[in-house]
Amino acid sequence: MFTSNRHVLRSPYPDQLKAILNIASATQSRDWLSHWSQIDMTGTPLWNLPGLAQQLGVAQISLKDESARSPLGSFKALGAPIALLRLIMRRWPDHQLTAKDLFEGRHRGLLGQFTVISATDGNHGKALAAAAQAVGCQCVIVIHANVNEERERAIAAYGAQIVRSAGNYDESVEEAARLATKNNWNVVSDTSYDGYEDIPRDVMQGYSTIAAEVVEQSGSTADRCAFTHVFVQGGVGGLAAGVVGYLWEFHQLKRPRFVVVEPKQADCLYQSAVAGQVTKATGSVDSLMAGLACGEASPLAWKILQAGADHFMTVRDTDATEAMRVAATGNHRDAPLLVGESGAAGLAGLMTLLQQSAWKMEAGLDAESRVLLISTEGATAPSVYAECVGETAESVLARQAAWLKRAA
């Protein structure tokens, strides 16, 4: 499914949205993250894929590869740690806490009885658990019935207490809120709800790091964006809002078109665009693209997306699998890339859109288009990845290393 956003603004970045997401706060978040040993802040690769661009009939395809961001394996390493630090600093405003000292564990005595909790499909919970372990606070992670044991073990490895709930992701969010109220714990969620906006906003500011790096790596200027189109994953909308907000503020009227992509059965953003207001998904929500299997959009993220996202679309799980395989295969001009299930959504969206002539025309895609994709994760569930691609992550990375050696 594909729809254009009838509420999109073609204006300078509005002040009311700047109060939610802005470049100044994103820059501060980026500086704070540089003090965490789990993050590589030299910048993740921005791959140029000329072979695929020629095959699909566009001028350029670039892919931002977040699989290399951290041992955590995904872009979520940028959001949860910033939200945790800002939460702690708000809780103890007179202690002159710094990101460097917190990440180095110098306030463990202060934080030993402080507990954070969140629901997750995997990556957000793992990032929060790792950040909590670094600063020295307690962490409880709620996972729902469809989260596989491989992802559960990866979270538990960072010292988090795991609570398994029935139902889907949205029901695990409700369970996390219930436990927080009962035990006086602190919810660190990437989705907002009534009366809960500060922490999701902080998470989105961390995600803006991706857009900031893309600007630098691509040679974009305020007056010239290196890309005509940006395809970005949906989910609750946090990543999409972080990318849209940053690039819109940076480029103003010269911003690219934004296409938000989500699973067909977890279409809360698509349905919100059709309805003109936050609306629940219409499908089962369960998806191979586990990080995007969300039934309800974040109202805070929606404020950015309703104004700034040009198009919304859905893809099938089989489309994501095909995109994973295309990325992994590579060719003599394109490196083989390790792109996980949720990370493949943008490429799946592009490939799907280009097969539909009416949608392609409506989105303004043609032979002159320069497309940015964001691969949000690598093989965060290695067995799932191998089953989808027919090859292990280690094998793909070995072929990538050989390709780079030949290209040098």
Side-chain angles (χ1 to χ4, degrees):
M1 297 185 291
F2 174 84
T3 189
S4 293
N5 178 13
R6 65 182 185 275
H7 297 287
V8 70
L9 301 178
R10 279 290 172 179
S11 69
Y13 191 53
D15 288 342
Q16 63 266 33
L17 298 185
K18 195 178 294 186
I20 303 172
L21 293 177
N22 59 77
I23 289 176
S25 293
T27 300
Q28 182 186 57
S29 297
R30 192 179 179 191
D31 175 68
W32 287 5
L33 287 166
S34 69
H35 298 293
W36 192 27
S37 61
Q38 290 282 347
I39 292 280
D40 181 1
M41 294 302 290
T42 60
T44 54
L46 181 65
W47 297 96
N48 182 33
L49 304 176
L52 184 59
Q54 183 178 35
Q55 177 185 333
L56 296 182
V58 295
Q60 175 185 322
I61 297 176
S62 299
L63 183 141
K64 182 69 167 162
D65 183 4
E66 288 298 299
S67 71
R69 174 67 64 187
S70 161
L72 300 170
S74 86
F75 80 105
K76 294 285 188 177
L78 297 169
I82 290 299
L84 178 59
L85 261 58
R86 293 194 190 278
L87 171 63
I88 291 170
M89 291 176 180
R90 286 193 294 268
R91 179 63 59 90
W92 287 280
D94 300 326
H95 282 64
Q96 298 182 330
L97 304 176
T98 67
K100 185 175 188 296
D101 286 348
L102 285 167
F103 277 136
E104 291 179 355
R106 295 180 182 176
H107 296 287
R108 290 182 178 275
L110 175 68
L111 300 173
Q113 301 304 311
F114 183 71
T115 301
V116 293
I117 184 171
S118 184
T120 189
D121 282 303
N123 291 336
H124 174 76
K126 184 163 60 169
L128 180 61
Q133 186 179 70
V135 305
C137 70
Q138 303 300 309
C139 181
V140 180
I141 297 297
V142 181
I143 56 177
H144 59 83
N146 296 322
V147 176
N148 67 29
E149 292 183 2
E150 194 170 28
R151 296 186 190 277
E152 178 180 350
R153 290 193 299 270
I155 299 168
Y158 288 96
Q161 175 188 340
I162 306 296
V163 175
R164 176 77 72 162
S165 71
N168 59 27
Y169 171 76
D170 298 293
E171 290 164 304
S172 68
V173 170
E174 294 173 0
E175 177 64 7
R178 187 189 70 80
L179 290 172
T181 299
K182 176 182 176 181
N183 296 289
N184 197 30
W185 294 339
N186 302 269
V187 177
V188 179
S189 174
D190 56 357
T191 187
S192 66
Y193 44 84
D194 187 32
Y196 183 80
E197 291 191 342
D198 287 348
I199 288 173
R201 178 201 62 216
D202 297 337
V203 170
M204 292 189 294
Q205 292 286 18
Y207 295 162
S208 296
T209 294
I210 296 171
E213 288 183 1
V214 164
V215 166
E216 295 169 358
Q217 293 170 318
S218 65
S220 291
T221 64
D223 290 333
R224 184 191 179 278
C225 181
F227 311 102
T228 59
H229 294 74
V230 177
F231 282 70
V232 61
Q233 285 81 341
V236 298
L239 170 66
V243 170
V244 169
Y246 191 99
L247 293 179
W248 189 1
E249 183 179 356
F250 184 81
H251 291 292
Q252 298 291 341
L253 293 174
K254 302 291 186 179
R255 70 172 182 83
R257 288 199 196 200
F258 297 103
V259 184
V260 178
V261 186
E262 58 192 338
K264 182 179 180 180
Q265 61 270 48
D267 59 349
C268 57
L269 295 173
Y270 173 89
Q271 295 298 339
S272 297
V274 171
Q277 61 185 8
V278 174
T279 303
K280 292 184 178 181
T282 57
S284 65
V285 178
D286 184 28
S287 171
L288 172 71
M289 295 168 271
L292 307 181
C294 308
E296 295 186 50
S298 168
L300 190 65
W302 181 247
K303 291 179 182 179
I304 304 285
L305 298 179
Q306 185 175 37
D310 298 273
H311 311 285
F312 294 83
M313 67 178 297
T314 63
V315 294
R316 301 167 299 177
D317 284 358
T318 52
D319 299 325
T321 301
E322 177 61 20
M324 291 169 70
R325 292 172 179 165
V326 167
T329 301
N331 53 61
H332 73 285
R333 301 178 69 189
D334 302 345
L337 299 180
L338 187 67
V339 176
E341 306 91 85
S342 297
L347 177 55
L350 175 63
M351 292 167 61
T352 299
L353 200 56
L354 289 172
Q355 294 170 6
Q356 302 290 332
S357 57
W359 295 357
K360 175 182 173 181
M361 183 177 299
E362 191 171 341
L365 281 165
D366 57 30
E368 302 301 316
S369 297
R370 306 180 305 277
V371 179
L372 171 66
L373 307 174
I374 301 172
S375 175
T376 50
E377 64 176 8
T380 53
S383 64
V384 176
Y385 179 86
E387 183 178 352
C388 289
V389 176
E391 185 178 4
T392 65
E394 291 78 12
S395 175
V396 174
L397 289 175
R399 290 193 296 103
Q400 182 185 107
W403 187 95
L404 288 169
K405 186 175 181 180
R406 291 194 302 270

mmCIF file of all heavy atoms in Angstrom, residues 117-120 140-145 152 160-166 172 175-176 178-179 185:
data_model
loop_
_atom_site.group_PDB
_atom_site.id
_atom_site.type_symbol
_atom_site.label_atom_id
_atom_site.label_comp_id
_atom_site.label_asym_id
_atom_site.label_seq_id
_atom_site.Cartn_x
_atom_site.Cartn_y
_atom_site.Cartn_z
ATOM 1 N N ILE A 117 12.829 0.611 33.310
ATOM 2 C CA ILE A 117 12.109 -0.497 32.687
ATOM 3 C C ILE A 117 11.624 -0.074 31.312
ATOM 4 O O ILE A 117 11.325 1.104 31.081
ATOM 5 C CB ILE A 117 10.905 -0.941 33.563
ATOM 6 C CG1 ILE A 117 10.208 -2.162 32.944
ATOM 7 C CG2 ILE A 117 9.927 0.208 33.792
ATOM 8 C CD1 ILE A 117 9.157 -2.778 33.856
ATOM 9 N N SER A 118 11.568 -1.024 30.392
ATOM 10 C CA SER A 118 11.026 -0.738 29.064
ATOM 11 C C SER A 118 10.537 -2.016 28.411
ATOM 12 O O SER A 118 11.026 -3.110 28.707
ATOM 13 C CB SER A 118 12.092 -0.094 28.165
ATOM 14 O OG SER A 118 11.536 0.272 26.913
ATOM 15 N N ALA A 119 9.574 -1.872 27.534
ATOM 16 C CA ALA A 119 9.164 -2.959 26.651
ATOM 17 C C ALA A 119 10.008 -2.883 25.387
ATOM 18 O O ALA A 119 10.482 -1.808 25.002
ATOM 19 C CB ALA A 119 7.689 -2.832 26.299
ATOM 20 N N THR A 120 10.188 -4.035 24.738
ATOM 21 C CA THR A 120 11.040 -4.044 23.543
ATOM 22 C C THR A 120 10.731 -5.242 22.658
ATOM 23 O O THR A 120 10.218 -6.270 23.124
ATOM 24 C CB THR A 120 12.523 -4.083 23.947
ATOM 25 O OG1 THR A 120 13.353 -3.888 22.802
ATOM 26 C CG2 THR A 120 12.883 -5.421 24.590
ATOM 27 N N VAL A 140 15.025 -3.467 33.996
ATOM 28 C CA VAL A 140 14.042 -4.527 33.767
ATOM 29 C C VAL A 140 13.509 -4.373 32.349
ATOM 30 O O VAL A 140 13.116 -3.271 31.947
ATOM 31 C CB VAL A 140 12.877 -4.443 34.769
ATOM 32 C CG1 VAL A 140 11.855 -5.555 34.504
ATOM 33 C CG2 VAL A 140 13.392 -4.525 36.200
ATOM 34 N N ILE A 141 13.491 -5.453 31.595
ATOM 35 C CA ILE A 141 13.033 -5.412 30.210
ATOM 36 C C ILE A 141 11.859 -6.365 30.029
ATOM 37 O O ILE A 141 11.935 -7.544 30.389
ATOM 38 C CB ILE A 141 14.168 -5.800 29.234
ATOM 39 C CG1 ILE A 141 15.316 -4.796 29.319
ATOM 40 C CG2 ILE A 141 13.626 -5.886 27.811
ATOM 41 C CD1 ILE A 141 14.958 -3.387 28.905
ATOM 42 N N VAL A 142 10.765 -5.836 29.475
ATOM 43 C CA VAL A 142 9.578 -6.636 29.202
ATOM 44 C C VAL A 142 9.565 -7.009 27.725
ATOM 45 O O VAL A 142 9.635 -6.130 26.854
ATOM 46 C CB VAL A 142 8.293 -5.859 29.555
ATOM 47 C CG1 VAL A 142 7.059 -6.728 29.293
ATOM 48 C CG2 VAL A 142 8.325 -5.417 31.013
ATOM 49 N N ILE A 143 9.498 -8.299 27.444
ATOM 50 C CA ILE A 143 9.428 -8.766 26.059
ATOM 51 C C ILE A 143 8.123 -9.545 25.878
ATOM 52 O O ILE A 143 7.628 -10.174 26.806
ATOM 53 C CB ILE A 143 10.632 -9.641 25.672
ATOM 54 C CG1 ILE A 143 10.771 -10.838 26.615
ATOM 55 C CG2 ILE A 143 11.899 -8.808 25.661
ATOM 56 C CD1 ILE A 143 11.901 -11.787 26.231
ATOM 57 N N HIS A 144 7.569 -9.472 24.674
ATOM 58 C CA HIS A 144 6.274 -10.117 24.443
ATOM 59 C C HIS A 144 6.444 -11.523 23.885
ATOM 60 O O HIS A 144 7.571 -12.003 23.662
ATOM 61 C CB HIS A 144 5.406 -9.253 23.525
ATOM 62 C CG HIS A 144 6.010 -8.973 22.188
ATOM 63 N ND1 HIS A 144 5.938 -9.849 21.141
ATOM 64 C CD2 HIS A 144 6.714 -7.895 21.727
ATOM 65 C CE1 HIS A 144 6.548 -9.343 20.081
ATOM 66 N NE2 HIS A 144 7.026 -8.150 20.416
ATOM 67 N N ALA A 145 5.330 -12.168 23.647
ATOM 68 C CA ALA A 145 5.338 -13.590 23.297
ATOM 69 C C ALA A 145 6.068 -13.890 21.996
ATOM 70 O O ALA A 145 6.589 -15.003 21.816
ATOM 71 C CB ALA A 145 3.891 -14.094 23.214
ATOM 72 N N GLU A 152 16.166 -12.549 23.446
ATOM 73 C CA GLU A 152 16.076 -12.492 24.909
ATOM 74 C C GLU A 152 17.446 -12.692 25.556
ATOM 75 O O GLU A 152 17.838 -11.963 26.470
ATOM 76 C CB GLU A 152 15.102 -13.561 25.413
ATOM 77 C CG GLU A 152 14.977 -13.603 26.925
ATOM 78 C CD GLU A 152 14.004 -14.680 27.401
ATOM 79 O OE1 GLU A 152 13.299 -15.265 26.562
ATOM 80 O OE2 GLU A 152 13.964 -14.928 28.630
ATOM 81 N N ALA A 160 20.214 -7.309 32.445
ATOM 82 C CA ALA A 160 18.822 -6.904 32.669
ATOM 83 C C ALA A 160 17.994 -8.070 33.208
ATOM 84 O O ALA A 160 18.231 -9.229 32.865
ATOM 85 C CB ALA A 160 18.195 -6.391 31.381
ATOM 86 N N GLN A 161 17.017 -7.738 34.031
ATOM 87 C CA GLN A 161 16.004 -8.707 34.451
ATOM 88 C C GLN A 161 14.958 -8.780 33.352
ATOM 89 O O GLN A 161 14.428 -7.755 32.926
ATOM 90 C CB GLN A 161 15.358 -8.281 35.769
ATOM 91 C CG GLN A 161 14.218 -9.178 36.216
ATOM 92 C CD GLN A 161 13.471 -8.625 37.410
ATOM 93 O OE1 GLN A 161 13.983 -7.786 38.147
ATOM 94 N NE2 GLN A 161 12.242 -9.081 37.608
ATOM 95 N N ILE A 162 14.637 -9.981 32.887
ATOM 96 C CA ILE A 162 13.702 -10.160 31.784
ATOM 97 C C ILE A 162 12.332 -10.576 32.324
ATOM 98 O O ILE A 162 12.228 -11.494 33.140
ATOM 99 C CB ILE A 162 14.199 -11.223 30.789
ATOM 100 C CG1 ILE A 162 15.628 -10.891 30.291
ATOM 101 C CG2 ILE A 162 13.231 -11.347 29.618
ATOM 102 C CD1 ILE A 162 15.731 -9.619 29.511
ATOM 103 N N VAL A 163 11.291 -9.912 31.839
ATOM 104 C CA VAL A 163 9.916 -10.279 32.142
ATOM 105 C C VAL A 163 9.226 -10.601 30.820
ATOM 106 O O VAL A 163 9.197 -9.765 29.909
ATOM 107 C CB VAL A 163 9.162 -9.141 32.857
ATOM 108 C CG1 VAL A 163 7.695 -9.506 33.050
ATOM 109 C CG2 VAL A 163 9.821 -8.814 34.195
ATOM 110 N N ARG A 164 8.717 -11.815 30.704
ATOM 111 C CA ARG A 164 8.023 -12.223 29.476
ATOM 112 C C ARG A 164 6.526 -11.985 29.657
ATOM 113 O O ARG A 164 5.918 -12.458 30.617
ATOM 114 C CB ARG A 164 8.295 -13.700 29.202
ATOM 115 C CG ARG A 164 7.575 -14.296 28.013
ATOM 116 C CD ARG A 164 8.195 -13.906 26.695
ATOM 117 N NE ARG A 164 9.472 -14.534 26.413
ATOM 118 C CZ ARG A 164 10.008 -14.612 25.192
ATOM 119 N NH1 ARG A 164 9.372 -14.097 24.139
ATOM 120 N NH2 ARG A 164 11.197 -15.156 25.004
ATOM 121 N N SER A 165 5.909 -11.235 28.717
ATOM 122 C CA SER A 165 4.478 -10.941 28.805
ATOM 123 C C SER A 165 3.730 -11.624 27.670
ATOM 124 O O SER A 165 4.324 -11.996 26.650
ATOM 125 C CB SER A 165 4.234 -9.427 28.744
ATOM 126 O OG SER A 165 4.480 -8.933 27.440
ATOM 127 N N ALA A 166 2.431 -11.774 27.836
ATOM 128 C CA ALA A 166 1.596 -12.325 26.776
ATOM 129 C C ALA A 166 1.277 -11.237 25.754
ATOM 130 O O ALA A 166 1.483 -10.051 26.005
ATOM 131 C CB ALA A 166 0.299 -12.877 27.370
ATOM 132 N N SER A 172 2.975 -5.438 25.681
ATOM 133 C CA SER A 172 4.162 -5.419 26.543
ATOM 134 C C SER A 172 4.462 -4.005 27.025
ATOM 135 O O SER A 172 4.972 -3.815 28.135
ATOM 136 C CB SER A 172 5.376 -6.008 25.805
ATOM 137 O OG SER A 172 5.807 -5.180 24.743
ATOM 138 N N GLU A 175 2.243 -3.562 29.964
ATOM 139 C CA GLU A 175 2.755 -4.302 31.112
ATOM 140 C C GLU A 175 3.935 -3.576 31.757
ATOM 141 O O GLU A 175 4.047 -3.527 32.990
ATOM 142 C CB GLU A 175 3.168 -5.710 30.687
ATOM 143 C CG GLU A 175 3.788 -6.566 31.783
ATOM 144 C CD GLU A 175 2.841 -6.881 32.932
ATOM 145 O OE1 GLU A 175 1.638 -6.550 32.851
ATOM 146 O OE2 GLU A 175 3.309 -7.487 33.930
ATOM 147 N N ALA A 176 4.811 -2.998 30.941
ATOM 148 C CA ALA A 176 5.943 -2.237 31.486
ATOM 149 C C ALA A 176 5.449 -1.040 32.291
ATOM 150 O O ALA A 176 5.975 -0.735 33.373
ATOM 151 C CB ALA A 176 6.861 -1.787 30.360
ATOM 152 N N ARG A 178 2.578 -0.808 33.810
ATOM 153 C CA ARG A 178 1.959 -1.321 35.042
ATOM 154 C C ARG A 178 3.020 -1.648 36.092
ATOM 155 O O ARG A 178 2.887 -1.283 37.279
ATOM 156 C CB ARG A 178 1.126 -2.569 34.729
ATOM 157 C CG ARG A 178 0.306 -3.085 35.913
ATOM 158 C CD ARG A 178 -0.309 -4.439 35.616
ATOM 159 N NE ARG A 178 0.687 -5.494 35.546
ATOM 160 C CZ ARG A 178 1.221 -6.091 36.630
ATOM 161 N NH1 ARG A 178 0.855 -5.702 37.843
ATOM 162 N NH2 ARG A 178 2.108 -7.046 36.481
ATOM 163 N N LEU A 179 4.074 -2.337 35.683
ATOM 164 C CA LEU A 179 5.147 -2.698 36.609
ATOM 165 C C LEU A 179 5.863 -1.470 37.150
ATOM 166 O O LEU A 179 6.261 -1.432 38.326
ATOM 167 C CB LEU A 179 6.139 -3.631 35.918
ATOM 168 C CG LEU A 179 5.627 -5.045 35.611
ATOM 169 C CD1 LEU A 179 6.636 -5.793 34.747
ATOM 170 C CD2 LEU A 179 5.356 -5.809 36.899
ATOM 171 N N TRP A 185 9.306 2.274 39.463
ATOM 172 C CA TRP A 185 10.403 2.253 38.514
ATOM 173 C C TRP A 185 10.182 3.343 37.464
ATOM 174 O O TRP A 185 9.138 3.983 37.428
ATOM 175 C CB TRP A 185 10.493 0.890 37.821
ATOM 176 C CG TRP A 185 10.864 -0.231 38.746
ATOM 177 C CD1 TRP A 185 11.490 -0.134 39.952
ATOM 178 C CD2 TRP A 185 10.611 -1.636 38.540
ATOM 179 N NE1 TRP A 185 11.651 -1.380 40.510
ATOM 180 C CE2 TRP A 185 11.126 -2.325 39.659
ATOM 181 C CE3 TRP A 185 10.005 -2.360 37.515
ATOM 182 C CZ2 TRP A 185 11.058 -3.712 39.784
ATOM 183 C CZ3 TRP A 185 9.929 -3.738 37.631
ATOM 184 C CH2 TRP A 185 10.452 -4.414 38.756
#
